[in-house]
Amino acid sequence: MPGLPPPGHNNAPPSFSDLVTLQSFNIVSADDSIFIEANATAINPIPWHLEFSSPPLPFVIALPSPSNSSPEVPSVPIASVRSHPFALTHPNISLTVSGAVLPLEQSASRALSNFMGKYVSGHEADIQITTPLVPGMVINTTFPAPNPKPEILRNVSITNMKITPTGTTMVA
């Protein structure tokens, strides 16, 4: 089957990121919410003669905790998305997903910082994908690195800044 190793050779199956390619994603902020839309393609290993149309499917995207070496440290859910209906096409399936960033708990800051640090440094970042349709199934994959690496800060200067004590804190 295309995209899969030949059977019987003790070949490991390809990783999820080898089968699915993120084509584009868009993040929009409106009405105190952050919305996400992404387009991806996936290799279709299903034989040509089988036809299937999918209804919308729900997914949760999570960031593994930076100290995820222990199973009792949970991942941090960051987005809830749904795939748009799609049909099996060959050789690839085109997928569109849309959804929203979930309210983040204070404990999410370390995982989010780790993800953002890797992204702005131009490195792939680990993510996890789950669906309530198959409880307990976790797809560990990576969010692709941007190419070219983003240039976040250029020519930054601070002028006329004052620091003032206000109670027990400092205000700049």
Side-chain angles (χ1 to χ4, degrees):
M1 297 179 127
L4 299 177
H9 292 37
N10 293 328
N11 293 333
S15 69
F16 184 79
S17 60
D18 289 336
L19 298 174
V20 178
T21 302
L22 182 63
Q23 299 291 314
S24 65
F25 74 96
N26 192 22
I27 299 174
V28 177
S29 176
D31 300 326
D32 296 330
S33 296
I34 300 173
F35 300 100
I36 302 167
E37 184 168 281
N39 294 304
T41 60
I43 294 173
N44 183 1
I46 306 299
W48 287 84
H49 64 277
L50 291 178
E51 294 184 16
F52 174 76
S53 293
S54 169
L57 301 173
F59 297 96
V60 173
I61 311 300
L63 301 177
S65 173
S67 56
N68 211 12
S69 56
S70 129
E72 36 305 324
V73 178
S75 58
V76 178
I78 58 161
S80 175
V81 298
R82 285 191 173 274
S83 68
H84 294 206
F86 63 91
L88 296 181
T89 55
H90 286 280
N92 295 322
I93 303 166
S94 294
L95 302 167
T96 298
V97 296
S98 58
V101 172
L102 297 169
L104 299 174
E105 297 179 15
Q106 201 167 13
S107 61
S109 63
R110 197 163 161 219
L112 190 57
S113 177
N114 188 41
F115 175 83
M116 292 304 297
K118 286 182 178 182
Y119 185 80
V120 298
S121 297
H123 300 289
E124 290 183 338
D126 293 333
I127 62 171
Q128 295 175 331
I129 302 172
T130 60
T131 178
L133 300 175
V134 185
M137 181 182 80
V138 176
I139 298 171
N140 292 301
T141 188
T142 58
F143 191 82
N147 187 7
K149 181 175 118 176
E151 293 185 31
I152 303 297
L153 297 176
R154 286 188 296 182
N155 303 324
V156 175
S157 62
I158 299 174
T159 58
N160 299 322
M161 181 176 182
K162 296 178 183 174
I163 298 176
T164 309
T166 304
T168 59
T169 62
M170 302 295 274
V171 176

